[in-house]
Amino acid sequence: MYPHRLESDGNVTTVIWSYLLQSRLIVCLVLSGLWVNCGTTPEDPPVAEVGSHQISSASLRAYISQLPAGLRPQKSDDDARVHHLQALIDRRLLLMEAETLRLDTVQSFRNALRNAVDARVAAIYRSREFGSKISIEEEEISRYFKAEGYYRERKFSAILTASRGAIDSVVAELAAGRAFAELAKERSIDPRSSASSGELGFMALDLAPRMHVPPEVFRDLPLGQVSEPLKAGRNWHVVLFTEDRPVALTKFRDAIRTELYRQRRGQIAAAHYELLENNFAVELQGAALNKVVEAYRRREPRTLRDDPAPTYTWAEGDISLGEVQSTLERFNITSGLTDSSHAAATLRNFVLVPFLVRHAALAAGYYEDPDIQRLQTQKRQELILEGLRKTVVGERFSLGEEDVRRYYDEHPALFQHGEASFVEELLVPTSAEADTLRGRLQAGATVVDFIDRSLRSDAVARKGRFHFHRQDTLRYPILVQNVMAARIGAWNGPVEVEGGYSVFRVLEHTEAAPEPFEEAGTRARALLHHELEGRELGQYLQELRQKYDSQIKIYQDRLAEAVPDSLVRG
């Protein structure tokens, strides 16, 4: 088949992990593109002190200004100021406790921090070293526009069959003198193609792959000449172009510029990596590569984890097999490693290139950039707090299957199947096309026969079957209203709905009912875990406030001046 056309109340104990651990809401925030200094100045005195750390007026304002509206408490202005300040104090207490527990000495923490910083540095390095050196001239765009065939649209006809044998039979009949239009009516299994003597309208080069027409066929097939048999998904077809018309460069200028930029960047990057490889004198060790291939052939990659054998050697050291395997596991790479050439290419892309970029960036001073230093501090704090959540707060409670079942039973309103309708549906662009489809469906055709014509992106995957709940009315007010009112089994349409014209029939209406535990269990566990974690965090914070009480000092008299009423009220 061918496509349809060618053209909370804000209590800190319950929200601190959900919000304060996010980078946009940490104490030191990026505000208006600048890093907010957590220190103080005579013009910006502290509003609180926690140990040796001072919370400045600016950092408090930055925090409040980035809070979502739903987290602004319904309190008086003064109470709201204290509430927001307490969030920052609590965050600092958590960091102090994490430092005491030395969570930043764990190897997994160090790896995560390094990976996060490396990724940011690599992005900056590539942008400066590659992107800044690329310029795409208008003349290049125009030349590519013509050479690749974007300059015209072609009127497209096709005959679609279910097998190679069937399309070979069509080709034989065409060679014997049968007319293309006549054969399309008789033999094409695509309803639109057979109904229109094969003609499917004009298409440009960008739509050719979607119509199962290779770009070279679109560019080179002369008008009036039938193509060789072409694969079309599970089917086969032959195509014919009967007319060309010009296309304005403006239609494809941006897409061509993007493609030329991508190509040029790839060329510059490849040359740059090769230069770095030579400069660092990096060599791939064949014996180590063979170990990787053999381990993956035996499906025993874990044997590589602690292997110190060098995979790459360079002037100042090596990259061990253990490091290579760690990288492969981090990116969940398991395919393409049982063949030596593919394995070498995979290791180059995921191990060697990041290594080259990192060391080139180190040599060029990228890691000393103030923005990167601030990122490292920020990410370090985020990871420390995340580690505290997992290793301390998470250990303060346990969660068994009986607990989950009890939570499910005690909160029935959270686990309800709403009123719903199960339908078969096709969404098409015009009322006329929808009317035609309805007639064919009523005559016995199936939705699957026309599924490629549906505008819904998931129509093929779902085979045209969907279910709609009452709450879906917010997204599809017209469609859901019609679906809920329709009787079971009857084809409806054309109905002008969101996005086009719908033809549908209801297969089943279901009333609101409890969601079975077998379906809701995972969600119940997550909800209960979140609730218990919030409760334990609240208790943990109370303990920390008592533990560090003597180190906390709040300057109440400075709060009103530090945070104006307009900011507190949002």
Side-chain angles (χ1 to χ4, degrees):
M1 300 296 180
Y2 300 104
H4 70 280
R5 57 182 176 180
L6 297 175
E7 313 285 350
S8 108
D9 66 4
N11 187 290
V12 72
T13 62
T14 62
V15 303
I16 194 166
W17 290 120
S18 299
Y19 294 95
L20 299 187
L21 298 186
Q22 297 181 34
S23 59
R24 67 181 184 275
L25 294 179
I26 63 173
V27 177
C28 295
L29 289 163
V30 176
L31 183 63
S32 301
L34 297 177
W35 184 263
V36 177
N37 190 345
C38 294
T40 60
T41 66
E43 297 76 24
D44 183 27
V47 289
E49 294 178 2
V50 185
S52 61
H53 177 83
Q54 295 183 326
I55 299 176
S56 68
S57 301
S59 61
L60 178 59
R61 287 193 297 271
Y63 165 70
I64 297 173
S65 68
Q66 304 235 350
L67 272 177
L71 290 181
R72 295 178 182 268
Q74 301 300 311
K75 300 176 180 287
S76 68
D77 295 344
D78 288 338
D79 287 344
R81 290 184 181 92
V82 172
H83 167 87
H84 293 310
L85 178 60
Q86 186 64 57
L88 297 190
I89 291 172
D90 286 341
R91 184 178 185 281
R92 177 50 52 181
L93 294 177
L94 290 167
L95 286 170
M96 289 171 64
E97 187 67 6
E99 296 280 0
T100 300
L101 297 173
R102 302 189 66 193
L103 296 181
D104 58 345
T105 63
V106 179
Q107 189 60 46
S108 59
F109 167 88
R110 293 178 176 177
N111 292 340
L113 179 58
R114 172 175 166 169
N115 292 337
V117 175
D118 283 353
R120 179 59 181 154
V121 169
I124 296 173
Y125 180 90
R126 291 186 174 102
S127 176
R128 293 179 184 174
E129 300 296 327
F130 308 156
S132 62
K133 299 177 180 179
I134 301 172
S135 64
I136 306 299
E137 304 297 332
E138 189 67 20
E139 182 181 345
E140 296 177 78
I141 295 174
S142 179
R143 188 163 55 246
Y144 190 91
F145 174 73
K146 294 174 183 176
E148 296 299 318
Y150 285 96
Y151 66 91
R152 63 180 174 175
E153 292 179 334
R154 314 198 74 185
K155 185 176 282 188
F156 167 63
S157 296
I159 301 172
L160 185 71
T161 67
S163 67
R164 177 61 192 257
I167 202 65
D168 286 341
S169 174
V170 167
V171 170
E173 291 191 61
L174 288 169
R178 291 288 300 279
F180 191 97
E182 184 180 340
L183 275 174
K185 285 182 179 181
E186 291 181 9
R187 304 288 297 276
S188 184
I189 64 172
D190 175 65
R192 280 199 313 131
S193 174
S194 63
S196 61
S197 302
E199 189 174 296
L200 294 167
F202 280 94
M203 72 173 175
L205 178 61
D206 61 324
L207 287 181
R210 184 177 169 191
M211 303 300 291
H212 307 291
V213 177
E216 59 271 18
V217 171
F218 179 89
R219 287 192 298 263
D220 302 334
L221 186 67
L223 290 175
Q225 180 176 316
V226 179
S227 73
E228 295 294 321
L230 302 170
K231 200 80 171 70
R234 296 186 300 270
N235 303 315
W236 288 82
H237 68 170
V238 289
V239 303
L240 171 73
F241 295 120
T242 57
E243 182 183 343
D244 290 345
R245 67 185 184 189
V247 174
L249 174 59
T250 53
K251 180 176 180 179
F252 292 109
R253 177 181 281 109
D254 290 344
I256 292 174
R257 185 186 298 278
T258 299
E259 174 60 19
L260 288 173
Y261 180 91
R262 185 192 66 79
Q263 293 179 8
R264 190 75 50 76
R265 182 185 174 99
Q267 294 165 357
I268 293 175
H272 189 82
Y273 297 148
E274 185 174 350
L275 178 63
L276 291 179
E277 192 172 355
N278 291 331
N279 288 344
F280 287 124
V282 178
E283 292 185 8
L284 173 63
Q285 302 302 304
L289 177 63
N290 290 337
K291 271 192 172 184
V292 171
V293 171
E294 288 303 316
Y296 276 88
R297 284 178 179 172
R298 297 193 312 268
R299 298 183 180 181
E300 297 177 351
R302 293 183 179 181
T303 60
L304 303 173
R305 286 179 176 174
D306 299 317
D307 196 323
T311 306
Y312 290 100
T313 58
W314 65 301
E316 299 179 25
D318 59 57
I319 304 174
S320 71
L321 273 172
E323 292 174 285
V324 167
Q325 179 57 24
S326 176
T327 299
L328 294 175
E329 290 180 2
R330 179 159 62 92
F331 289 105
N332 195 28
I333 300 169
T334 57
S335 61
L337 294 166
T338 57
D339 173 82
S340 294
S341 59
H342 289 167
T346 298
L347 297 191
R348 179 178 178 80
N349 289 336
F350 289 93
V351 179
L352 180 58
V353 166
F355 166 85
L356 294 172
V357 169
R358 182 174 192 276
H359 283 273
L362 275 168
Y366 278 76
Y367 284 83
E368 305 306 316
D369 185 283
D371 286 340
I372 296 302
Q373 293 288 307
R374 286 190 286 266
L375 170 67
Q376 184 154 343
T377 299
Q378 171 186 332
K379 196 65 184 178
R380 179 178 179 277
Q381 292 180 353
E382 289 178 16
L383 291 170
I384 284 175
L385 289 175
E386 179 63 14
L388 189 68
R389 180 184 69 81
K390 290 180 178 179
T391 61
V392 178
V393 178
E395 292 178 357
R396 293 169 67 101
F397 66 92
S398 60
L399 194 55
E401 196 64 23
E402 291 182 1
D403 301 311
V404 176
R405 182 66 197 225
R406 184 165 54 252
Y407 184 83
Y408 165 84
D409 291 336
E410 293 174 353
H411 300 81
L414 295 177
F415 309 104
Q416 287 279 328
H417 275 311
E419 181 183 355
S421 294
F422 294 80
V423 304
E424 287 186 298
E425 189 232 23
L426 293 169
L427 182 68
V428 293
T430 67
S431 176
E433 185 174 356
D435 192 52
T436 299
L437 288 177
R438 179 184 178 185
R440 295 192 178 188
L441 291 166
Q442 288 175 326
T446 68
V447 165
V448 175
D449 292 334
F450 312 104
I451 200 66
D452 284 349
R453 298 164 71 173
S454 180
L455 295 175
R456 298 208 185 279
S457 60
D458 54 350
V460 174
R462 292 177 173 272
K463 298 182 179 179
R465 296 194 171 209
F466 305 90
H467 69 275
F468 296 98
H469 295 271
R470 279 290 181 191
Q471 54 264 38
D472 292 325
T473 303
L474 294 173
R475 185 176 181 186
Y476 307 109
I478 303 173
L479 177 58
V480 172
Q481 180 181 352
N482 279 271
V483 164
M484 293 296 180
R487 62 186 179 86
I488 295 175
W491 284 105
N492 297 268
V495 178
E496 186 174 5
V497 300
E498 301 75 17
Y501 291 83
S502 178
V503 177
F504 68 87
R505 70 172 173 182
V506 175
L507 303 175
E508 181 184 6
H509 286 305
T510 61
E511 301 296 327
E515 185 177 0
F517 180 73
E518 292 71 22
E519 297 178 15
T522 299
R523 187 154 50 89
R525 176 177 290 275
L527 289 171
L528 178 55
H529 186 278
H530 181 75
E531 184 176 306
L532 293 176
E533 188 176 69
R535 184 191 70 193
E536 292 302 324
L537 174 60
Q539 179 59 40
Y540 186 54
L541 284 171
Q542 290 295 340
E543 295 169 10
L544 292 183
R545 290 170 188 170
Q546 294 176 8
K547 177 178 179 179
Y548 293 102
D549 181 66
S550 62
Q551 299 185 49
I552 300 172
K553 184 174 184 180
I554 297 176
Y555 298 98
Q556 293 275 8
D557 57 324
R558 298 175 183 173
L559 278 177
E561 183 178 353
V563 182
D565 293 347
S566 59
L567 180 58
V568 174
R569 296 167 187 167

